[in-house]
Each structure stands twice: as C-alpha cells, then as structure tokens.
Amino acid sequence: MITVSIAIPCYKSARTIPAVVEELRTVIRAREGYDYQIILVNDYPDDDTFNVIASLCRDDPRIVGVNLSRNYGQTAAKMAALPYVTGDVLVYMDDDGQHPGDQIFVLVDKVLEGYDMVYARFPHKHHSLFKRFTSWLNSKVLELNHSKPRDLTLSSYHALSRTAFEALMTYKSPFPDISGYLFHVVRRYTNVDMPHRDRMAGQSNYTLGKMLSLWLTGYTNFSTVPLRFAAFIGGGCAIFGFIAGLTVVIRKLIDPRIAAGYTSSIALQLFIGGVIMMILGLIGEYIGRIYMTVSSMPQYQIRETINADPKKETNDHGKQTPPSL
C-alpha cells in the first residue's frame, strides 16, 4: 500500500477547503493500492477555518489538523506540515480549488518513476494580470540569481519524494525557501502540464508587499550573487566617477573659461550616494537575516493539533507542541 500525504496551507478557506478535501479523498480512494493522509495547516487562526478543519478531522482520522499561533505565511505553513508526514510521497497544493485534485496522480506517478521534485505547469493560468506578471518577474529574477533552473517552471502544486521531504525536515532557517533549498539537495526534477481552474471563492491574498517579501527571500537565500552584483555596480560607478572627474579636469586645462560645473558635480554625488545606500541596504538585509537566524527565530509556532501522532509533534527547533485534541 502506497500512502500519499497531501499538505495544504489554509488561509481564510472555510468555504473552500471541504470541497478540496472531498475531491482528493474521492480520487485516491478510487485508485487501488493507494491510501492518503491530508494535513491541513491553518495559517490564519482568527476566523472560522480551523473549526471547519476540526470537523473534517472528526469525520476522518486520516486528516490531520494543525493550527498555527498566528499568520506566518504560506511557506512556513508548508514547513509546519512536515513533522506529521507519514506517506511515501508528499504533495503540496493550495486551498482555493484552483489546483485540480483529480490530477494528483499525474504528479505522484512521476515521483514514483524516480523524480524527487515534480511541479505542475499551467499553460493557461486563471490568475489576474498582476499575479501573472509578478510570478513571471520572480521566476526571471531567480533564474538570474541561479536559484532556479531555466528549464523548470515552479508552482505551489508539486510533489516531493521521500528523499526530498526528509531532507527538507532538516531545514531550520526562519526565512524558508523550499524550492531553493531542495535544488541544493536533489537534481531529479521535472514539469507536468495541467489545467488551471477558477477560484472557488474569494480572491488572491497575495498583495504587492507579500510578493516583494517572497521575491526578496528567493533573491537572497542560498546565493552571494546579489552581493557580487552590488560589487560590480560599485566598481562601475567608481570607473564612471573617475572618467567624469578626469574629463572635467582636462576640459578646464584646455579652456580655463569653462565653469567648474557645480550642477553636474552635485548630480554625480547624488547618483553615487544613492548607489552606495542601495548596496548598504542589500548588505544590511543579509546581516539582518544572519542575526535572526543565529538568534533561533522560529519558522512557526503551533497552537494545537488534531489527529496528529504525539511522537511527531515538534516544531522546527524540536520543542514539544501542545497535545493534540
């Protein structure tokens, strides 16, 4: 019997998560030789979502409910599911119904073929223009930063082998980047094309601020390329300033009547000063993340669990969470 574990971060999804869960159960039950485990991680404890999750857990002991103490973000919610995974394959998917649950075995079968990471690729996304543009921009930045292979399309609907998700359990950074970390651990990955659905209800919760935070995490994690790029910019500005200063001196020697050029000097100083501040800000971002990492800032904190194995109830630093209900 092969068990498929499905981890779903839940954010204000009281209206959608029952239908998502029911579709998954129906699809997996229909396939002989497979069983399922569904881990629902509530990343917004201030609404009715966890009450709905608790109801689902009471009806089915193979559903695990995890309630975080506050909103930590989608990636942290994915990490919070890992201590409870008991399956042979782990699938991550969203809670809004846009990911086709009836296609889950397209991902699972590829993992069982020997791949460690299998990402759904949606040729026709049912997202807003803003979401599609920011996703495209984030992908290109990660490629330039060497944090993502150029021949792979990332998505939040993906499957991991046991080798991959067990490696992920050792990842303790307070700024988790799941794909970026796994690309340094495994090399067997692929895409599978799938249809993309409309949202069952509501709208995307990704604001510009959240997208920028996600982009910054992917841009700075696991790479010193941004720092090298900043060094090249600084070197270029130094060369530009030297040439500009030499030009002013030569022109003054050739024709003493030429004005000293205070406007151009001030503009040049403002330009170089702005570049310096930008580079210092980038260095400060790295230092700040280092400080919070060595200070053991947690990825998440769990408030309560349902149907969870007490032996596995530990957070990312190995502390016991409250007993399951």
Side-chain angles (χ1 to χ4, degrees), residues 117-129:
M117 298 186 290
V118 183
Y119 290 87
R121 178 171 52 204
F122 305 109
H124 306 287
K125 289 186 177 181
H126 292 202
H127 284 317
S128 65
L129 180 62

Side-chain angles (χ1 to χ4, degrees), residues 6 16-30 36 38 93-94 96-105 157 197 200:
I6 305 105
T16 61
I17 197 62
V20 172
V21 168
E22 184 56 34
E23 181 180 34
L24 290 170
R25 294 197 300 179
T26 300
V27 170
I28 297 176
R29 283 170 175 170
Y36 65 86
I38 301 175
M93 66 185 299
D94 288 350
D96 54 15
Q98 288 195 288
H99 293 164
D102 59 352
Q103 301 288 310
I104 189 171
F105 280 107
Y157 192 20
R197 298 172 176 174
M200 290 181 179

Side-chain angles (χ1 to χ4, degrees), residues 107-296:
L107 297 171
V108 172
D109 290 344
K110 277 292 183 182
V111 170
L112 296 179
E113 286 178 18
Y115 289 98
D116 290 307
M117 298 186 290
V118 183
Y119 290 87
R121 178 171 52 204
F122 305 109
H124 306 287
K125 289 186 177 181
H126 292 202
H127 284 317
S128 65
L129 180 62
F130 167 77
K131 182 67 180 296
R132 292 199 302 271
F133 172 74
T134 52
S135 296
W136 172 85
L137 182 61
N138 182 61
S139 177
K140 293 303 178 184
V141 168
L142 293 180
E143 288 176 6
L144 291 172
N145 195 29
H146 307 299
S147 297
K148 182 185 85 67
R150 292 181 180 273
D151 59 343
L152 187 70
T153 299
L154 303 184
S155 76
S156 54
Y157 192 20
H158 60 277
L160 303 177
S161 69
R162 177 172 289 277
T163 298
F165 70 73
E166 285 185 349
L168 200 57
M169 290 179 181
T170 65
Y171 181 28
K172 306 304 181 185
S173 169
F175 305 97
D177 176 11
I178 290 175
S179 297
Y181 178 79
L182 288 179
F183 287 136
H184 287 76
V185 178
V186 295
R187 279 292 181 268
R188 297 176 181 175
Y189 53 78
T190 190
N191 279 125
V192 291
D193 287 343
M194 287 188 185
H196 199 231
R197 298 172 176 174
D198 291 325
R199 295 176 65 93
M200 290 181 179
Q203 59 185 4
S204 174
N205 296 299
Y206 270 101
T207 62
L208 179 59
K210 289 182 178 180
M211 291 301 296
L212 288 174
S213 177
L214 182 66
W215 171 81
L216 189 59
T217 295
Y219 186 62
T220 56
N221 279 11
F222 312 115
S223 176
T224 58
V225 170
L227 292 176
R228 293 175 184 172
F229 182 65
F232 284 131
I233 291 178
C237 288
I239 294 172
F240 176 76
F242 175 77
I243 294 174
L246 186 62
T247 302
V248 170
V249 171
I250 293 174
R251 290 184 62 196
K252 188 67 174 178
L253 291 174
I254 294 174
D255 188 353
R257 295 172 298 177
I258 296 178
Y262 295 107
T263 302
S264 59
S265 298
I266 292 175
L268 184 60
Q269 290 177 25
L270 290 174
F271 170 72
I272 295 176
V275 171
I276 291 173
M277 294 301 295
M278 181 186 71
I279 295 173
L280 288 175
L282 179 61
I283 296 173
E285 182 68 28
Y286 272 94
I287 293 174
R289 288 170 180 259
I290 293 171
Y291 171 75
M292 284 184 275
T293 299
V294 300
S295 297
S296 298

